[in-house]
Amino acid sequence: MFGAFRASPVSASGLLWKVPWRLSVPRKARQRQRLKDVDQVIETVRQSGVQCESLTRALALPKEHEMPAKDKYTVFNRRSKGYRKGIHKVPKWTRLTLRENPLGF
């Protein structure tokens, strides 16, 4: 209980930083806002008249309001049951463009 062999959070319950099973409502709202912000930046760059390959690729991506909820909050994963996993389980998921998934999934 006390001393050198007291229980620590890691030894008592395993890994301390656990990933929740599903996205919470506020995290979903932040994800939608993040997608809208990126759409706004892409539109602003398009209106400025700049032309580049990355802008062409970004314009081909679906906008937030065109995406189904399944694509906003989950990504394709060939190892998962149902071939989908929560977007929050992808490392650095807030910095990646995860708007496209294989057809049929």
Side-chain angles (χ1 to χ4, degrees):
M1 189 160 180
F2 298 110
F5 302 106
R6 67 176 178 257
S8 67
V10 174
S11 66
S13 63
L15 182 64
L16 188 58
W17 301 109
K18 297 187 185 324
V19 178
W21 183 68
R22 67 177 69 166
L23 278 174
S24 64
V25 174
R27 288 181 84 180
K28 282 185 178 182
R30 283 196 304 271
Q31 170 65 2
R32 286 191 305 272
Q33 186 60 46
R34 196 177 295 116
L35 290 169
K36 289 175 187 174
D37 291 344
V38 169
D39 290 341
Q40 184 180 5
V41 168
I42 291 170
E43 185 60 28
T44 304
V45 172
R46 187 189 66 77
Q47 289 177 354
S48 72
V50 175
Q51 293 181 350
C52 59
E53 181 63 29
S54 59
L55 179 60
T56 307
R57 281 190 311 242
L59 289 171
L61 294 172
K63 297 193 180 333
E64 186 270 337
H65 61 86
E66 298 169 348
M67 296 173 66
K70 180 173 83 168
D71 287 343
K72 290 181 196 177
Y73 310 123
T74 62
V75 292
F76 174 78
N77 184 10
R78 63 182 175 167
R79 293 182 181 91
S80 295
K81 183 179 176 183
Y83 300 104
R84 287 282 180 162
K85 75 175 181 179
I87 196 169
H88 64 295
K89 298 203 179 208
V90 177
K92 297 186 171 62
W93 65 281
T94 59
R95 300 181 212 168
L96 299 175
T97 301
L98 301 168
R99 294 183 186 224
E100 292 181 328
N101 290 294
L103 292 175
F105 292 100

